[in-house]
Amino acid sequence: MTGSTCHSSLYLPFGCEVVAVTDLTPGEKLFRLRKADGAPLGHLPGQFVQVSLLGWGEAPISVASSPTRDGVFELGVRRAGSLTGAMHLLKAGDTLGIRGPFGRPFDLRRLRGQDLLLVSGGCGLAPLRSLIQYCEDRPSEFGAISILYGAKSPAHTLFKEDLAAWEASARFACSLTVDSFTGEECYDGNIGLITALIPPLAFDPDNTIAVVVGPPPMYRGVIAELKKKGLPSGRIVLSLERQMRCGVGKCGHCSIEHLYCCQDGPVFWLNEIENLRGAL
Ligand SMILES: Cc1cc2nc3c(=O)[nH]c(=O)nc-3n(C[C@H](O)[C@H](O)[C@H](O)COP(=O)(O)OP(=O)(O)OC[C@H]3O[C@@H](n4cnc5c(N)ncnc54)[C@H](O)[C@@H]3O)c2cc1C
Ligand code: FES
């Protein structure tokens, strides 16, 4: 948790204004938010906030923008249930409640100076976008950066404008894929699982860290491919999702054996969790 989270804000939501809402896909929207007091959120890439709307409950959502960007922050939200369904009806000028930022962020100290392999699927691109923007804004701090992203279909691809900009940028090597393509959209990219993008990659396993964020079924296949390339568990970072309530290590809803996903994670090194039952 960052030092900016004072004790009362662990439990008490503060107000945020919706600055803008844009469609990412038919089922996902990007919310640009500003704290009512105008202060920065004070997060680091990989952290999440607890979003609330009176009468609709609360849910953990990853911060999708970098703290190096201006005084607003962004959340990419899939319409999944009650809170996210109500969020999708919000317009610019509306307000919502936020607690946080919470959770263990990506370990920037260990990532600095390394080549990075950033692998995500579906909504997993949201927390990685925060890290990618951070790397974009501090280019001298990191080595070569490869971005691999997989979506269900072209229509399900998130952050299309960002992906196009990263593909066009000399700073990043991007490989994108979709699981399937029915022909209703203009698409001439890769078709197949994200695991197929890893074997052709050339990287130095002694100087590379892989950061993997995606739906649970993606992890096993991606980890197996990374290990075949010689990457040890201590060089693979994951971000896990669990049902959460308090978000601050008090209620036990998010436990993975002795760990709390909300406080010990959601970011973990693979060697911290690979032997824990139910972690992956
Ligand atoms: C660390 C973290 C970061 C996350 N980041 C993001 C993010 O960036 N973007 C994002 O879109 N999501 C993110 N999520 C996921 C998000 O928190 C969940 O989708 C959350 O449940 C949405 O809340 P809700 O109230 O809208 O949905 P809920 O009402 O909780 O419903 C969510 C799903 O559970 C099902 N469900 C609800 N109640 C029941 C029940 N009683 N029995 C069976 N099924 C039920 C619903 O049908 C639905 O499929 C994150 C989760 C975590 C833990
Ligand atoms: S959500 Fe309560 S302990 Fe993690």
Side-chain angles (χ1 to χ4, degrees):
M1 201 177 307
T2 55
S4 63
T5 304
C6 71
H7 186 74
S8 64
S9 70
L10 292 182
Y11 306 105
L12 202 60
F14 51 83
C16 284
E17 182 195 348
V18 178
V19 177
V21 187
T22 46
D23 289 336
L24 294 172
T25 70
E28 278 121 352
K29 288 180 188 274
L30 185 70
F31 294 83
R32 179 169 266 247
L33 304 173
R34 186 191 295 118
K35 284 177 73 169
D37 63 7
L41 179 64
H43 71 292
L44 287 170
Q47 289 193 298
F48 66 93
V49 289
Q50 288 281 25
V51 183
S52 58
L53 279 171
L54 213 58
W56 296 104
E58 192 176 42
I61 302 289
S62 305
V63 184
S65 56
S66 168
T68 49
R69 304 279 158 116
D70 50 18
V72 295
F73 63 100
E74 292 177 325
L75 307 176
V77 180
R78 173 173 295 169
R79 191 174 55 239
S82 59
L83 184 269
T84 51
M87 277 184 84
H88 272 233
L89 301 175
L90 295 177
K91 303 268 179 296
D94 289 339
T95 56
L96 44 66
I98 293 281
R99 292 190 296 128
F102 294 139
R104 176 188 181 184
F106 297 119
D107 187 345
L108 293 170
R109 216 161 34 101
R110 278 192 64 192
L111 299 189
R112 283 194 184 105
Q114 300 288 307
D115 293 340
L116 303 181
L117 186 53
L118 308 178
V119 187
S120 62
C123 263
L125 186 53
L128 270 192
R129 180 176 181 261
S130 174
L131 180 61
I132 294 167
Q133 288 184 346
Y134 188 95
C135 296
E136 228 175 353
D137 294 345
R138 306 209 167 161
S140 62
E141 294 184 14
F142 305 92
I145 301 174
S146 303
I147 298 171
L148 309 187
Y149 176 63
K152 262 196 224 161
S153 72
H156 288 89
T157 301
L158 291 178
F159 302 112
K160 292 188 187 76
E161 282 178 22
D162 294 292
L163 287 166
W166 299 332
E167 274 189 296
S169 160
R171 185 70 189 88
F172 303 114
C174 274
S175 303
L176 313 179
T177 188
V178 296
D179 295 347
S180 61
F181 171 52
T182 53
E184 73 281 7
E185 261 193 44
C186 184
Y187 179 76
D188 61 359
N190 296 305
I191 299 173
L193 295 179
I194 193 163
T195 42
L197 301 180
I198 297 171
L201 292 177
F203 60 85
D204 173 6
D206 295 328
N207 194 46
T208 299
I209 290 178
V211 185
V212 187
V213 193
M218 196 188 94
Y219 284 115
R220 284 193 185 281
V222 167
I223 289 166
E225 292 300 330
L226 292 173
K227 288 196 165 177
K228 277 189 216 162
K229 302 286 279 185
L231 209 61
S233 302
R235 287 189 159 272
I236 300 175
V237 185
L238 310 170
S239 180
L240 301 183
E241 270 195 22
R242 284 295 180 278
Q243 290 272 348
M244 289 185 185
R245 290 285 183 273
C246 69
V248 292
K250 300 291 180 202
C251 71
H253 259 86
C254 65
S255 65
I256 305 170
E257 292 204 357
H258 62 286
L259 299 175
Y260 288 145
C261 189
C262 65
Q263 200 166 46
D264 301 306
V267 171
F268 295 96
W269 292 93
L270 178 58
N271 59 1
E272 295 173 326
I273 54 157
E274 61 190 333
N275 296 321
L276 300 185
R277 196 145 34 97
L280 292 172

